[in-house]
Amino acid sequence: MADRLMLLDTASLYFRAFYGVPDSITAPDGTPVNAVRGLLDMIARLVPDFEATHLVACWDDDWRPAWRVELIPSYKAHRVERAVPGGVDVEETPPGLIVQIPRIREVLGLLGIAIVGAPEHEADDVIGTLATGADLPVDVVTGDRDLFQLVDDEASVRVVYTARGMSRLEVLTDASVVGKYGVLPQQYVDFSVMRGDSSDGLPGVAGVGEKTAASLLQQFVDLDGIRAAAADASVPMSASVRAKFAAAADYLDVAPTVVEVVRDLDLGEFDSQLRPVTGARREALEALATEWNLGGSVPRVLAALDALPPAG
């Protein structure tokens, strides 16, 4: 089996697990464990289905970096529960999930799965850096459309999109991004900037939806080309479209920097190789399976790792 690297957009997945698995599933002390169980079951399925040999749980060390907020103050503003001047704002998160995040980190550590984050950056930026610098095929697992910008057939980077649920995963390649949106993956940042994204607090260009954005990119290649055409009266373009881009000029000056993932972070050294779990770590996981009422989730993920071929 050829080596493959899987990059998890971890928060995206544990939020999905929390809402997808009943919160009536608790540890004996009453603490919810639905997100822990759900995430383990995702990993137990994803690793064999996509033949992953390496895995990184990419982490939001800063889910709303100040440098992005400075450029677009509305960026994720509706998801802030409490502002922290000079620090990382507290994201609105259900209390039942908050108490599970340390347990998620503990279980991932016992499984030998690398947890990688970066100060002042989101998991998306960690994923962008690792996908760009990888020397083996990559599968990015996420429910976030912004990461479609990383799809690259030539570099063997795919996105495994979870938004429709684990039973209906979409594997995105160059062709499927074009099929869904009418733009190439390398045009996706400009497409997303124009369309906007209410879930991230990005207003987009008023009056420009997906079809118009795709049509403009097909005609003018990128956002710079579209803006240049809108400013040039000799280029055929409707007056209304010109007006929309003129009105959005300040937003368009900064939005691409906010939407584009960082690809050159210094993430230090870590081991992404997946291996069967043995010895004290296996005993600890099996004990936690009972202590936390994790049911069959721990045996399933252990079995998935046991089935891996020997590391090369």
Side-chain angles (χ1 to χ4, degrees):
M1 185 171 72
D3 285 353
R4 294 193 68 88
L5 171 63
M6 178 169 283
L7 303 175
L8 303 183
D9 183 1
T10 315
S12 169
L13 298 184
Y14 65 58
F15 266 93
R16 176 160 297 279
F18 178 77
Y19 288 110
V21 178
D23 61 7
S24 57
I25 297 175
T26 65
D29 67 359
T31 303
V33 292
N34 55 330
V36 183
R37 272 200 190 190
L39 182 62
L40 289 176
D41 282 337
M42 289 178 183
I43 294 170
R45 176 183 169 187
L46 289 163
V47 167
D49 283 4
F50 292 92
E51 300 184 333
T53 58
H54 296 69
L55 181 66
V56 179
C58 302
W59 208 263
D60 280 319
D61 278 12
D62 190 338
W63 69 280
R64 188 175 183 249
W67 59 270
R68 283 190 165 109
V69 176
E70 287 170 7
L71 295 173
I72 299 182
S74 63
Y75 182 65
K76 297 186 177 180
H78 60 294
R79 288 155 55 180
V80 176
E81 180 175 286
R82 178 170 53 86
V84 180
V88 179
D89 291 338
V90 177
E91 183 177 13
E92 189 174 38
T93 305
L97 176 55
I98 291 173
V99 297
Q100 296 185 67
I101 293 173
R103 293 187 169 187
I104 288 170
R105 291 187 66 103
E106 182 175 352
V107 169
L108 291 174
L110 289 171
L111 288 169
I113 293 173
I115 300 172
V116 181
E120 301 178 359
H121 287 84
E122 302 173 55
D124 287 10
D125 302 313
V126 176
I127 291 169
T129 296
L130 294 175
T132 301
D135 57 1
L136 61 163
V138 176
D139 287 319
V140 174
V141 186
T142 184
D144 184 352
R145 293 182 299 176
D146 283 345
L147 290 172
F148 293 176
Q149 64 186 272
L150 296 175
V151 171
D152 187 338
D153 285 2
E154 186 175 347
S156 297
V157 178
R158 308 183 299 188
V159 166
V160 179
Y161 189 47
T162 64
R164 299 168 69 190
M166 289 298 292
S167 63
R168 301 174 66 191
L169 295 173
E170 293 182 74
V171 179
L172 296 178
T173 61
D174 288 3
S176 49
V177 174
V178 172
K180 285 174 76 73
Y181 299 110
V183 299
L184 295 166
Q186 57 264 39
Q187 295 174 303
Y188 192 84
V189 168
D190 291 345
F191 172 78
S192 182
V193 164
M194 288 185 281
R195 176 195 61 200
D197 188 341
S198 59
S199 68
D200 280 342
L202 298 174
V205 177
V208 173
E210 289 192 354
K211 290 184 178 179
T212 300
S215 176
L216 290 168
L217 286 168
Q218 290 162 12
Q219 186 174 0
F220 299 109
V221 181
D222 57 22
L223 185 56
D224 288 342
I226 296 168
R227 297 186 72 185
D232 185 347
S234 69
V235 176
M237 181 181 283
S238 72
S240 64
V241 171
R242 292 185 196 277
K244 290 168 184 173
F245 278 84
D250 290 346
Y251 164 77
L252 293 172
D253 286 344
V254 296
T257 302
V258 173
V259 175
E260 187 170 10
V261 300
V262 177
R263 296 176 182 245
D264 60 356
L265 294 174
D266 181 359
L267 299 174
E269 296 294 324
F270 57 89
D271 184 2
S272 65
Q273 177 83 50
L274 287 172
R275 300 176 178 85
V277 181
T278 60
R281 286 195 291 115
R282 192 179 189 100
E283 291 174 5
L285 275 168
E286 290 170 344
L288 288 181
T290 300
E291 181 184 343
W292 293 353
N293 185 31
L294 298 179
S297 299
V298 166
R300 282 190 287 272
V301 75
L302 288 173
L305 298 182
D306 286 344
L308 290 164

